[in-house]
Amino acid sequence: SPDECQAMEDAAQPKLHHATVADGKGGSRQSENRKAMQAGISPKWQKEAEGDLVATLSRRVYDYANHVLPGLNLTHFGQENLMSIQYFGRGYNDTTPDRYTPHCDGNCKGVKHQHGARMATMVIYCTLPEHGGHTNFQKANVHVKPEPGAAVFFSYIDPDTRVTDNELTEHSGCPIYEGEKKIVTQWIRHGVDGRSPWTSFNTLGIKHSEAGD
């Protein structure tokens, strides 16, 4: 809802920083392939019963994920924070506009899902630019021209075999030329919980304790 989007934007404002990508070594780095500002917001689950807007939004994400992926019993315990991601247009003369070039959010090479790794994504569109900012799944021949309040959900594992897809979920955030694009993203993992949260793993999907970090 507009109120939930505003709650996320308000919570993110003092925490915004440049978005990063995995560096292939277990860490992360800034990259020209991904130009945006972002901030992770941890839902205040203790205030969910009071109608906390961020917690309400997060709950809806997991309810939907469990509806379309029955049997995985996905919960919010140990998951990544909701991410507020913001892109800003600077005109058509900008040679390096805010964007996210083709990428997979998790493994999409047709291999067995790695325990604790990402397996699905929800993207909620809050504010959209005047020009640009679509979401393109080129290899699946799907191009999303979003509307405010709409969302896209995609999973990159088969819930029965636990094998990842073969690049069909590779996607890009198209360049933003005029206006602003503000989205809320939840990367959902399978195999995390309160004792083994997402922060236990590096960006290669290996536990820090096993990687010698």
Side-chain angles (χ1 to χ4, degrees):
S1 71
D3 288 343
E4 291 166 345
C5 283
Q6 189 62 54
M8 278 293 298
E9 186 176 338
D10 291 345
Q13 190 58 43
K15 303 179 180 180
L16 286 172
H17 59 274
H18 291 285
T20 59
V21 300
D23 64 4
K25 302 176 183 179
S28 59
R29 62 178 176 85
Q30 292 184 30
S31 170
E32 287 297 308
N33 294 329
R34 186 184 185 201
K35 291 191 64 178
M37 302 295 288
Q38 69 177 28
I41 306 301
S42 178
K44 298 177 181 177
W45 294 109
Q46 71 276 16
K47 294 186 176 181
E48 182 182 11
E50 303 170 18
D52 182 84
L53 292 172
V54 174
T56 298
L57 177 62
S58 184
R59 178 68 67 190
R60 192 179 307 122
V61 169
Y62 291 104
D63 285 348
Y64 183 83
N66 281 307
H67 174 69
V68 297
L69 297 171
L72 294 182
N73 300 314
L74 300 167
T75 74
H76 67 272
F77 294 107
Q79 296 283 354
E80 297 183 52
N81 293 335
L82 276 172
M83 191 67 71
S84 174
I85 307 175
Q86 304 182 16
Y87 304 81
F88 302 92
R90 293 177 290 275
Y92 282 95
N93 292 328
D94 187 0
T95 57
T96 56
D98 283 10
R99 68 200 185 285
Y100 199 170
T101 58
H103 64 283
C104 293
D105 288 342
N107 192 304
C108 64
K109 298 296 184 181
V111 299
K112 198 74 172 179
H113 174 260
Q114 193 170 3
H115 186 78
R118 292 176 179 176
M119 46 72 65
T121 300
M122 175 78 84
V123 179
I124 302 165
Y125 300 92
C126 291
T127 300
L128 296 175
E130 286 78 23
H131 297 286
H134 298 176
T135 303
N136 186 46
F137 296 81
Q138 184 174 358
K139 294 180 179 178
N141 198 29
V142 174
H143 188 85
V144 180
K145 183 179 180 180
E147 297 181 358
V152 169
F153 178 87
F154 51 98
S155 171
Y156 12 107
I157 68 166
D158 183 313
D160 296 321
T161 65
R162 309 293 169 87
V163 172
T164 64
D165 79 286
N166 199 1
E167 299 187 349
L168 287 178
T169 57
E170 181 182 276
H171 61 288
S172 59
C174 298
I176 288 78
Y177 293 108
E178 294 182 358
E180 301 177 351
K181 175 185 176 182
K182 297 179 180 180
I183 61 176
V184 176
T185 296
Q186 179 68 67
W187 294 295
I188 302 174
R189 295 174 178 248
H190 187 258
V192 295
D193 55 31
R195 293 176 298 176
S196 184
W198 74 276
T199 51
S200 301
F201 301 85
N202 64 23
T203 56
L204 294 174
I206 302 172
K207 276 201 166 186
H208 290 295
S209 59
E210 297 172 1
D213 297 345

